[in-house]
Amino acid sequence: MKLFIGNKNYSSWSLRAWLVLEHLNIDAQIIPLKLFTENFYSELSGISATKKVPALKDGDFNLCESLAIAEYINETYCNGRGWPKENKKRAHARALSAEMISSFHALRNAMPMNIRAKRWVNIDTAVQKDIQRIDAIFNLASQQKGGYLFGDWSIVDAMYAPVVLRFVTYGVFLSPNAQHYCEHVMQCPILQKWITEALKETDIVPEDEAGIERN
Ligand SMILES: N[C@@H](CCC(=O)N[C@@H](CS)C(=O)NCC(=O)O)C(=O)O
């Protein structure tokens, strides 16, 4: 199996799919591609219908879209252990994952994932609204044992991990419980492995460079 990903510093959707494979212990060859280059689009031709990453190749089966990749891995190789066991928690985790895909455009536009940067950006009303909603979601972890949104790690935590990284990059202030969730996510050795590799990258994607430097 092969997973095509973008630059680790910038590619939030790639990170989500990669985290799912790593947390669920699924072996795959990782193919790194440099975002927006000619080679990126030619490598993805015939593999990713959207010409975007992440893209999965499993034998002759090709799949794009991070959440679909997570579901495919979960069903095909993990016997469902990627989601919470309890059906209402599982439904809630799926709803929050769908919300991640469909929402938070203001936050995502204002604060692109940029792991190696430390910046300030203008937080307007729309971005503040997104932060407040995500803060409420992150508070869910405080009602569970295990540190993740539904206790043990599940796919929904992969969906929100890039947001945690954005909050670190842009120094966003959160409620104590939401901050505690972020710290728990940041301590995960799997995420730290991605961060370490992201910090070694030197390519710059100008459209994902936002804000002014902070200490
Ligand atoms: N909804 C898609 C989004 C994928 C996406 O936007 N990927 C970006 C990189 S993070 C990409 O490949 N961009 C290349 C392009 O837009 O040409 C998913 O969940 O996988």
Side-chain angles (χ1 to χ4, degrees):
M1 190 151 54
K2 290 180 181 174
L3 181 72
F4 295 76
I5 62 167
N7 306 47
K8 286 188 165 151
N9 186 58
Y10 298 110
S11 186
S12 58
W13 297 106
S14 299
L15 169 59
R16 291 173 171 104
W18 181 86
L19 282 173
V20 169
L21 289 170
E22 287 281 318
H23 273 273
L24 296 175
N25 249 316
I26 303 301
D27 213 21
Q29 186 187 352
I30 305 299
I31 316 284
L33 301 174
K34 292 184 182 185
L35 285 165
F36 308 120
T37 58
E38 259 179 50
N39 183 57
F40 176 86
Y41 297 107
S42 65
E43 285 284 332
L44 291 179
S45 157
I47 289 167
S48 169
T50 57
K51 297 268 180 71
K52 290 184 180 181
V53 286
L56 188 79
K57 180 162 185 54
D58 189 15
D60 60 3
F61 178 62
N62 298 328
L63 187 64
C64 51
E65 289 296 323
S66 52
L67 190 52
I69 291 171
E71 290 283 12
Y72 174 76
I73 295 294
N74 176 58
E75 282 180 14
T76 313
Y77 296 106
C78 303
N79 213 12
R81 68 189 159 88
W83 291 111
K85 274 199 197 86
E86 203 259 303
N87 72 330
K88 286 181 183 150
K89 283 187 180 176
R90 192 161 63 245
H92 192 186
R94 283 197 162 111
L96 295 178
S97 299
E99 186 178 353
M100 181 70 247
I101 304 256
S102 64
S103 310
F104 311 125
H105 298 291
L107 182 142
R108 276 160 29 194
N109 288 337
M111 300 178 175
M113 191 173 96
N114 187 351
I115 292 174
R116 63 185 171 226
K118 266 201 172 13
R119 302 271 169 83
W120 293 123
V121 287
N122 179 42
I123 296 186
D124 66 15
T125 318
V127 175
Q128 191 55 44
K129 205 172 147 204
D130 285 349
I131 293 171
Q132 274 165 5
R133 171 65 187 140
I134 293 170
D135 191 295
I137 292 170
F138 285 4
N139 265 266
L140 287 172
S142 66
Q143 298 160 24
Q144 315 284 335
K145 284 200 181 101
Y148 287 108
L149 293 177
F150 291 91
D152 293 335
W153 182 91
S154 70
I155 290 168
V156 67
D157 296 289
M159 298 311 289
Y160 282 85
V163 180
V164 171
L165 291 171
R166 286 169 155 108
F167 287 167
V168 172
T169 293
Y170 301 101
V172 173
F173 292 102
L174 300 169
S175 66
N177 283 340
Q179 184 58 36
H180 194 260
Y181 171 73
C182 290
E183 284 161 16
H184 184 73
V185 170
M186 287 301 288
Q187 280 163 14
C188 169
I190 295 175
L191 182 62
Q192 281 299 326
K193 191 166 125 189
W194 177 281
I195 293 172
T196 302
E197 288 169 23
L199 294 177
K200 290 182 198 153
E201 292 180 351
T202 52
D203 291 293
I204 290 179
V205 174
E207 46 270 69
D208 286 341
E209 293 289 335
I212 51 166
E213 299 299 331
R214 67 180 176 91
N215 291 327

